[in-house]
Amino acid sequence: MTEARGQGTEPGEGERERDRAATVRVFIALAPPDEAKDELERELRPAYDAYPRMRWNRIEDWHITLAFLGELPVATVPLLRQPLADLAASRGPLELALRGGGHFDERVLWSGIDGDVEGLQRLAADVRGVVKECAIPFEDRPLRPHLTLARARRDDQSSVVDVATGLTGFTGRPWRAERLHLVGSNFGRGPGPIRYRDIEAWTFGGP
């Protein structure tokens, strides 16, 4: 006998697609300028050749996450636009730099952030305050400023440690973070790589 819909049956592919279309995975971030990314890319070229099995992030997707909001209903995202625009208009650019490298649990490779880290922490706190004022629930973890570069495959964790060690002496040139980005990703929506896109971005307008 065929079970009626809603009596414990698994959702069909069409229903899963509709559910995915109704939500978007969202975070709020800063992005290094192309010159800073190019500089770090040149530093990483030997590692790209030596460790091709690592899951390297696309350079155009490099970002510094200020608040990760997770999966949100698409209809919720517009609530963030005006408050984030107002916040960006009230703040000046941040002087930052990429420096060194490290890893989380021997699985996630990152480059560190130098420069006005205190200002970065204040900006992140204000961004998270905006999210809370919009009554959007999220996991408010302490900020550990970094730029995620790659992830290890389950059978090859030593690669991340080796590349992180090689980045220890890297010191990038200073740059100005001049825009606040509201970003969406397709994470979890298929077998392909993660892709990010700006939902909107605002130029900092303060002194």
Side-chain angles (χ1 to χ4, degrees):
M1 182 193 301
T2 303
E3 290 189 18
R5 182 184 297 272
Q7 294 184 353
T9 57
E10 292 293 323
E13 184 60 32
E15 291 174 278
R16 288 194 292 270
E17 288 295 332
R18 285 194 296 273
D19 288 344
R20 288 195 288 266
T23 63
V24 60
R25 185 158 294 201
V26 174
F27 58 90
I28 301 162
L30 303 177
D34 289 343
E35 295 81 3
K37 291 189 290 187
D38 290 345
E39 189 176 30
L40 180 54
E41 180 193 17
R42 288 193 295 271
E43 185 76 13
L44 287 169
R45 280 176 186 166
Y48 290 153
D49 294 336
Y51 303 101
R53 294 190 63 248
M54 286 177 61
R55 295 164 55 199
W56 293 98
N57 287 5
R58 298 194 313 164
I59 295 164
E60 54 266 45
D61 290 336
W62 284 352
H63 62 270
I64 303 166
T65 300
L66 302 175
F68 180 74
L69 310 188
E71 201 79 20
L72 296 182
V74 169
T76 298
V77 175
L79 297 176
L80 292 163
R81 293 179 185 267
Q82 192 59 53
L84 289 175
D86 293 342
L87 175 60
S90 70
R91 304 296 290 265
L94 290 173
E95 297 285 344
L96 302 173
L98 301 176
R99 182 173 183 177
H103 59 84
F104 296 134
D105 300 325
E106 301 183 352
R107 291 194 54 80
V108 178
L109 174 70
W110 49 261
S111 178
I113 308 301
D114 201 4
D116 188 5
V117 177
E118 289 186 6
L120 183 62
Q121 292 280 0
R122 289 193 296 270
L123 176 62
D126 289 345
V127 163
R128 295 173 187 208
V130 164
V131 176
K132 292 173 183 176
E133 289 171 3
C134 292
I136 297 174
F138 72 106
E139 191 171 356
D140 191 5
R141 296 181 177 179
L143 180 69
R144 301 176 64 180
H146 66 279
L147 190 76
T148 300
L149 304 175
R151 290 169 174 79
R153 298 192 182 275
R154 293 185 183 278
D155 60 347
D156 188 29
Q157 295 183 5
S158 63
S159 296
V160 162
V161 178
D162 292 344
V163 179
T165 300
L167 282 176
T168 300
F170 172 71
T171 301
R173 71 187 68 184
W175 48 271
R176 288 164 61 90
E178 298 184 325
R179 305 187 81 196
L180 183 66
H181 299 258
L182 179 64
V183 185
S185 82
N186 68 344
F187 183 87
R189 286 173 166 76
I194 299 171
R195 293 288 184 264
Y196 302 107
R197 62 178 178 84
D198 271 5
I199 296 171
E200 196 159 343
W202 304 271
T203 301
F204 292 122

